[in-house]
Amino acid sequence: MRGGGPLIGGKKTAACPVGIALGATWNPELVHEIGQSLAREALDRGAGVLLAPTINPFRSSLNGRNFENYAEDPFLTGTLANADVQGL
């Protein structure tokens, strides 16, 4: 969740690891818990859309936003994406 932060009068937000860092844990329970946390924060802020992490495997290592994906491996990505969606 993005926020302006306390320096410019915005709300404080939780800082969660990016998708690729979560993928490196191979831990669906952790991803589920983070999904729940993001859902609570989104509801608190009245947000209707979450833009990351993305849940489709990236196709090129030249893509500049690969860090938002869980992994190159489709099985791992699917497992973690399922945990994320269930948590949300």
Side-chain angles (χ1 to χ4, degrees):
M1 301 298 299
R2 190 178 352 188
L7 294 177
I8 57 172
K11 295 181 180 180
K12 294 181 181 180
T13 60
C16 296
V18 296
I20 199 77
L22 292 172
T25 69
W26 290 68
N27 188 339
E29 292 82 17
L30 174 63
V31 174
H32 183 269
E33 186 177 327
I34 288 175
Q36 290 177 321
S37 176
L38 286 171
R40 281 190 300 272
E41 195 158 336
L43 287 173
D44 288 346
R45 293 176 172 278
V49 175
L50 295 174
L51 299 176
T54 56
I55 60 174
N56 32 323
F58 52 88
R59 293 171 180 85
S60 170
S61 60
L62 302 176
N63 183 351
R65 301 201 64 89
N66 289 343
F67 62 89
E68 291 181 342
N69 298 86
Y70 290 118
E72 292 178 0
D73 179 77
F75 180 77
L76 176 59
T77 295
T79 301
L80 296 181
N82 181 53
D84 182 33
V85 170
Q86 294 299 319
L88 291 168

